[in-house]
Amino acid sequence: MTVVVKSSPENVIALPKQLLESLRLSDGEEVMAIVDGQTLRLARLDEFLALRGALAGDDSFDEAMTYLEHAWDQWTLPDIA
């Protein structure tokens, strides 16, 4: 399977139907995209938010979240030919 990445001004990632089914995601479902080196990880937003609640008050987790939010704000997609 080939996936073509395109930039968009909206916060939307479009995935092929076969990949959606493999990931057990539904059309329109919100996920958290996490970039780890060359790997893009997707986590269901409700599971991600539950994790944040479970780690409330954990300073290391809060620092990591701040780092991720800053990195997300700075991330730009390269121009695709």
Side-chain angles (χ1 to χ4, degrees), residues 9-63:
E10 299 90 28
N11 292 330
V12 174
I13 297 174
L15 301 173
K17 183 178 179 180
Q18 182 181 1
L19 184 55
L20 274 174
E21 291 170 354
S22 295
L23 296 171
R24 297 187 198 125
L25 295 172
S26 302
D27 192 29
E29 189 170 351
E30 293 185 15
V31 296
M32 176 72 176
I34 303 163
V35 178
D36 181 15
Q38 295 293 317
T39 303
L40 175 65
R41 299 178 189 275
L42 301 176
R44 286 183 173 79
L45 198 53
D46 55 347
E47 291 175 9
F48 180 77
L49 293 176
L51 175 63
R52 185 168 189 144
L55 295 173
D58 185 320
D59 292 338
S60 296
F61 182 75
D62 289 339
E63 284 180 35

